[in-house]
Amino acid sequence: MKRIIVVAAAVAGAAVVAVGATVIATAADPVSPEVLGATPADAGHGDEGKYTTGDYVLTVHELDDDGEGISTAIGPHTTFYSKTLHGTGTRKPTVLKFAAGADSDAPVVFGYPVPAPGRGVDCVASGTEAAPQVRCETKLPAR
């Protein structure tokens, strides 16, 4: 029964397709509601994305409304700060999508909205590659 559900999800377009640094995502990918964190962002990183990985590679996709954007694979036990959270040039990301593993076609396991300009996001991956968990909080600038 599990295999039928997995195949049905893949056929429905839940997978992310990567072409170079451009990613196309489907509207079927889930996006969690925004959560405002109680603590400010790390000093000097107030409007950046902070992504902390667990025991596996975490691939972060920063996508705009057209599903295009930048993907970054972050190694295990690493913290990465993204200066492209709020865009570069005319491309403005609106959603973050997370996949477990370095494969460009790894399925999205979690989505989170990009916070308003001037705010950062702190996302932490835990669990295993087979059963990943990602949690994000929107952070206000450090004071």
Side-chain angles (χ1 to χ4, degrees):
M1 184 67 169
K2 280 186 177 179
R3 288 184 183 185
I4 293 171
I5 293 169
V6 171
V7 171
V11 171
V16 174
V17 179
V19 179
T22 301
V23 177
I24 301 167
T26 68
D29 291 330
V31 177
S32 176
E34 186 173 22
V35 176
L36 187 60
T39 58
D42 293 346
H45 299 285
D47 64 348
E48 296 178 4
K50 177 183 178 186
Y51 311 120
T52 303
T53 61
D55 292 335
Y56 52 90
V57 172
L58 182 70
T59 300
V60 180
H61 308 288
E62 296 172 338
L63 306 172
D64 63 17
D65 287 334
D66 294 326
E68 296 181 2
I70 296 173
S71 295
T72 304
I74 306 164
H77 307 287
T78 301
T79 296
F80 176 81
Y81 291 92
S82 171
K83 295 181 187 235
T84 59
L85 176 65
H86 294 292
T88 56
T90 59
R91 187 192 65 77
K92 303 289 182 208
T94 57
V95 68
L96 302 170
K97 302 277 180 151
F98 298 88
D103 293 339
S104 62
D105 62 346
V108 168
V109 297
F110 183 74
Y112 192 79
V114 171
R119 293 184 173 188
V121 67
D122 186 348
C123 300
V124 178
S126 60
T128 64
E129 187 172 337
Q133 295 176 346
V134 180
R135 288 192 290 178
C136 293
E137 289 183 348
T138 295
K139 298 292 187 172
L140 298 174
R143 301 211 183 264

